Amino acid sequence: MRNLSAVVIASAMVVSLSSAWAADVTTIDEMHQDDGLTNRSMAQNSQSHMFDGINLTEQQRQQMRDLMQQARHERSPISLNDLETMHDLVIAEKFNEAAVKAQAEKLAQAQVGRQVEMARVRNQMYHLLTPEQQDVLQKRHQQRMNELRKLTNMQQVSPLQAVSSTGSNQ
């Protein structure tokens, strides 16, 4: 049972890292297409929606494209060797919790570095906006946060309702 849990957790981590990396390579043009990231789940990558609803000038678009391109060139790639190492640990004959934990921490630290870099780029992009555009962005962010709070509250209530309904049947 413990090995199965480790396999599930490690697999989820690899998928999470891969999807987070894929989300990071999104370009500004893709962010503004009607059928682009707006159809993805907000919980999946709320930062992808950062510039939704903002009408950018061509100059702003170009500056943002340049920032993204520069960030893409400077970003350290995901280490396939590290992913392979995690996979090997997951499928090993005997589970080595310490090795999995060390490898997971190594993968997580690399992901933290990528997220910090993307936050730096998004900050630079934000400061390319006019005060009016920043206001629109702030309002849209607040709307998304309210929606996520509602979703989170619904998810927290559901297990409680399930427990109370099974408890009342006994």
Side-chain angles (χ1 to χ4, degrees):
M1 184 65 173
R2 203 169 160 179
N3 286 343
L4 179 61
S5 296
V7 169
V8 170
I9 290 170
S11 299
M13 227 174 95
V14 169
V15 169
S16 171
L17 284 171
S18 299
S19 65
W21 179 77
D24 282 349
V25 298
T26 303
T27 65
I28 293 302
D29 288 336
E30 289 169 337
M31 286 185 199
H32 289 90
Q33 293 175 355
D34 289 341
D35 59 346
L37 294 175
T38 55
N39 290 334
R40 288 187 190 171
S41 163
M42 271 190 281
Q44 180 182 4
N45 188 6
S46 61
Q47 285 296 314
S48 328
H49 297 278
M50 184 169 177
F51 295 101
D52 283 356
I54 306 294
N55 294 321
L56 300 172
T57 65
E58 187 52 43
Q59 181 183 8
Q60 287 173 318
R61 282 179 170 291
Q62 186 59 51
Q63 288 173 314
M64 289 187 182
R65 273 190 226 107
D66 292 346
L67 284 171
M68 286 297 290
Q69 188 172 16
Q70 179 184 356
R72 210 173 285 121
H73 288 295
E74 293 173 359
R75 179 181 37 224
S76 60
I78 289 180
S79 169
L80 295 180
N81 289 335
D82 288 343
L83 294 177
E84 279 295 325
T85 300
M86 180 59 86
H87 176 72
D88 292 344
L89 290 168
V90 167
I91 64 171
E93 193 67 34
K94 188 172 181 182
F95 181 71
N96 182 342
E97 185 173 346
V100 169
K101 184 176 182 177
Q103 189 63 22
E105 287 175 356
K106 184 177 180 181
L107 289 168
Q109 193 60 36
Q111 179 61 18
V112 166
R114 284 188 291 278
Q115 288 185 357
V116 167
E117 180 58 24
M118 285 310 300
R120 182 185 65 76
V121 171
R122 288 184 185 113
N123 176 269
Q124 290 173 331
M125 290 176 172
Y126 176 81
H127 289 287
L128 292 174
L129 301 176
T130 65
E132 295 80 19
Q133 290 170 321
Q134 291 176 356
D135 286 344
V136 170
L137 188 69
Q138 184 59 32
K139 288 175 186 167
R140 295 193 54 90
H141 169 74
Q142 197 57 51
Q143 288 172 343
R144 284 192 303 275
M145 292 306 296
N146 290 339
E147 290 172 14
L148 287 172
R149 282 185 189 97
K150 287 178 189 174
L151 178 64
T152 301
N153 289 337
M154 287 178 13
Q155 289 172 345
Q156 290 174 350
V157 169
S158 294
L160 293 176
Q161 288 174 340
V163 169
S164 66
S165 65
T166 50
S168 62
N169 291 340
Q170 293 176 353

